[in-house]
Amino acid sequence: MGDTTTELSDAELVRGLGAGQVEAMRELYRRYGTLAYSLAVRILGDPGRAEDVVQDSFMRVWTYAGSFDAGRGSLRTWLLTTVRNRAIDYLRGRPGRERRELELGFELPAQGPGSDPWRDVSESLEREALRKALVSLPSDQRQVVELAYFGGYTQREIAGMVQVPLGTVKGRTRLALEKLSSYLQGRGLIDVG
Amino acid sequence: MSVDHEELENSIAAYVLGSADPEDEDRLRAHLEACASCRELAARLAPAVSSLPLEPEPVKPPRRLEDRVVAAAAATRGASDPKPRSIRRVWLPGPPRVRVRFSGLRAGLAAAAVLLFAAGAVAGSSLDRLGAQRPAARPPAAEVQRYQLAGSGPMAGVQANAVYLKRDSLTLVDFKYMPAPAPGQLYELWLITGDGRAVPAGVFSPESDGSKVVLVDRNLEGVKTVAVTAEPAPNGSQAPSQAPQLVGRIA
Ligand SMILES: [Zn+2]
């Protein structure tokens, strides 16, 4: 590990984590630590709590690396989904219910291995496209995504807050995700098969 | 498509976004199992949701966070069985320690657990095993103090959250990611007073996953600092034999 030019694939990294190699954990952190922390800060607005959430999320991946199935989603998605859900649980004072991060495996395997610069570039392209896609949504749809994903509100809660029927909130959610998907897919940034 | 199925599809979208209402989740999961077109829908929408974590402006984490993460991993590596057998554990109080009284424990313990949950301070932590229910009512804030202990070196990854219930004179310290003590040693908790006296407050060894909940059943009047050292098993020491590895100031 370390200064190799080709970096480890998710599957190789997961094997290292599953074998209890601390260096694999360091590599995982170096890849995704900033993304994870930025997400936690965005949701919590509290850097101290964000640190705890990030640590807990990495430890979850460390502990359950053996059950990770690379065929069902990327390591990045698993980790960041865990960060998001833990942050929301913290934020809302919910006991950590047994989330099914591993079971939300609808995603196809992410892009293959590449060098660090490649990842940085692809990440910033993805970020830029995502932001454009979000801005292009009608504001009521963007609001639902914001409240649901970053605020952790359920559909019923959003319906109550925004004072529209539940069915309307669900419809907006669906439309928003359909539009985001086709926007990102149209730019080749996500792979849907 | 029927109206009912369209409603289901929209609900599936909410589920993929992590926004389904809990009472709907079982129904939606069951439907996903049974309905290929909704599985396809979920698979189509999921990558967009996976991109959402990239929306926030990147914030560089403090350098210590890498140390915490790596130290926490290293701390659990020595566990005899690093892979947990189950996620939840049943917490059973052990035999009372010499210096930790357990009288009146049940009520205070339940109250402390409820409080921790109420604030979300340790959501998802080892306190799950206390089986606390959602809070009915919280005591006034003045009755409760919270503090955290910070570690260094091999203890850099330790999370230690404490809640002091003044009225019950009970402190509950929830440790996570503790390294296993060296052979022949265990950990000892100290209450350090304003004049520098270290009062022993109990000895403990973490579980194999590095977690432990320690109860201190006494008044913290005059105590300024809570600290942890490694001491000889099985009884610990009467005075700390090393510099503290974990320290928390009481506000
Ligand atoms: Zn269906």
Side-chain angles (χ1 to χ4, degrees):
Chain A
M1 216 162 292
D3 293 314
T4 47
T5 44
T6 17
E7 79 180 5
L8 298 173
S9 68
D10 271 9
E12 290 167 319
L13 194 51
V14 162
R15 264 197 297 282
L17 294 167
Q21 292 168 6
V22 173
E23 278 312 303
M25 188 67 148
R26 194 182 294 283
E27 173 62 22
L28 182 72
Y29 181 85
R30 288 186 174 166
R31 276 185 201 188
Y32 302 123
T34 299
L35 271 181
Y37 182 70
S38 307
L39 177 61
V41 168
R42 165 81 156 86
I43 292 172
L44 295 164
D46 176 340
R49 282 192 165 187
E51 282 188 50
D52 286 352
V53 161
V54 168
Q55 184 187 12
D56 288 342
S57 302
F58 274 89
M59 286 304 288
R60 188 174 169 95
V61 170
W62 169 255
T63 305
Y64 294 99
S67 1
F68 175 75
D69 177 357
R72 301 187 69 188
S74 71
L75 196 49
R76 187 189 90 179
T77 294
W78 180 24
L79 174 72
L80 295 177
T81 302
T82 306
V83 170
R84 185 267 178 185
N85 289 344
R86 288 214 160 236
I88 297 297
D89 284 343
Y90 250 89
L91 189 67
R92 313 208 56 204
R94 282 200 289 245
R97 53 184 161 128
E98 283 317 321
R99 296 271 194 176
R100 307 197 180 195
E101 284 101 0
L102 276 172
E103 293 179 24
L104 287 172
F106 302 118
E107 203 203 25
L108 294 170
Q111 302 90 340
S115 65
D116 260 339
W118 184 91
R119 187 205 314 285
D120 290 347
V121 169
S122 85
E123 239 171 55
S124 57
L125 284 175
E126 191 180 342
R127 173 174 297 115
E128 199 184 321
L130 174 72
R131 287 176 175 171
K132 279 190 183 148
L134 284 167
V135 167
S136 76
L137 293 178
S139 61
D140 55 2
Q141 292 173 23
R142 196 166 65 237
Q143 178 189 43
V144 169
V145 172
E146 169 72 27
L147 290 172
Y149 191 82
F150 295 107
Y153 294 101
T154 68
Q155 299 285 292
R156 272 191 183 82
E157 290 169 333
I158 294 169
M161 292 163 84
V162 184
Q163 307 235 305
V164 297
L166 178 59
T168 306
V169 173
K170 290 181 178 176
R172 287 176 184 172
T173 301
R174 163 90 179 274
L175 283 172
L177 292 188
E178 294 276 15
K179 284 181 193 168
L180 289 176
S181 293
S182 53
Y183 190 100
L184 294 171
Q185 199 189 342
R187 276 146 195 83
L189 287 156
I190 55 176
D191 212 9
V192 178
Chain B
M1 286 286 162
S2 70
V3 173
D4 282 351
H5 196 263
E6 190 178 327
E7 191 278 333
L8 266 170
E9 288 171 7
N10 295 346
S11 298
I12 296 290
Y15 178 69
V16 173
L17 187 58
S19 170
D21 285 276
E23 61 268 35
D24 294 340
E25 283 182 354
D26 286 343
R27 173 176 72 103
L28 295 173
R29 270 195 287 270
H31 183 72
L32 273 171
E33 297 242 325
C35 177
S37 86
C38 281
R39 278 201 303 278
E40 197 183 303
L41 172 71
R44 192 171 77 242
L45 301 182
V49 176
S50 296
S51 282
L52 287 173
L54 269 75
E55 186 269 351
E57 197 54 46
V59 185
K60 207 172 155 45
R63 165 76 214 194
R64 67 171 173 274
L65 185 53
E66 179 174 340
D67 297 338
R68 281 178 61 174
V69 165
V70 171
T76 59
R77 187 175 49 169
S80 52
D81 179 4
K83 299 300 160 220
R85 292 142 304 266
S86 68
I87 295 165
R88 283 174 189 278
R89 309 259 164 92
V90 177
W91 184 83
L92 296 170
R97 305 283 186 195
V98 179
R99 287 178 292 262
V100 182
R101 288 190 300 112
F102 282 83
S103 57
L105 182 63
R106 187 172 292 273
L109 180 59
V114 161
L115 275 164
L116 283 162
F117 280 128
V122 289
S125 81
S126 49
L127 282 172
D128 285 2
R129 72 186 97 137
L130 297 174
Q133 300 301 307
R134 296 308 304 278
R138 287 194 223 178
E143 300 286 333
V144 179
Q145 284 180 329
R146 294 162 198 288
Y147 45 96
Q148 290 183 316
L149 283 69
S152 53
M155 301 278 246
V158 176
Q159 283 183 19
N161 290 288
V163 172
Y164 174 40
L165 299 176
K166 274 186 180 169
R167 198 167 39 190
D168 300 302
S169 289
L170 181 78
T171 305
L172 187 152
V173 192
D174 181 31
F175 292 95
K176 282 162 75 180
Y177 313 132
M178 288 284 276
Q185 293 198 318
L186 39 59
Y187 293 118
E188 187 156 7
L189 191 67
W190 304 95
L191 306 177
I192 300 170
T193 58
D195 56 9
R197 231 162 17 92
V199 180
V203 295
F204 65 99
S205 288
E207 310 292 338
S208 64
D209 66 355
S211 70
K212 191 74 183 179
V213 177
V214 176
L215 293 146
V216 183
D217 189 8
R218 56 160 284 165
N219 195 308
L220 293 191
E221 203 69 39
V223 174
K224 290 277 181 269
T225 305
V226 175
V228 174
T229 60
E231 301 294 341
N235 295 318
S237 305
Q238 285 305 309
S241 64
Q242 58 171 203
Q245 303 182 359
L246 267 176
V247 178
R249 282 197 189 289
I250 297 181

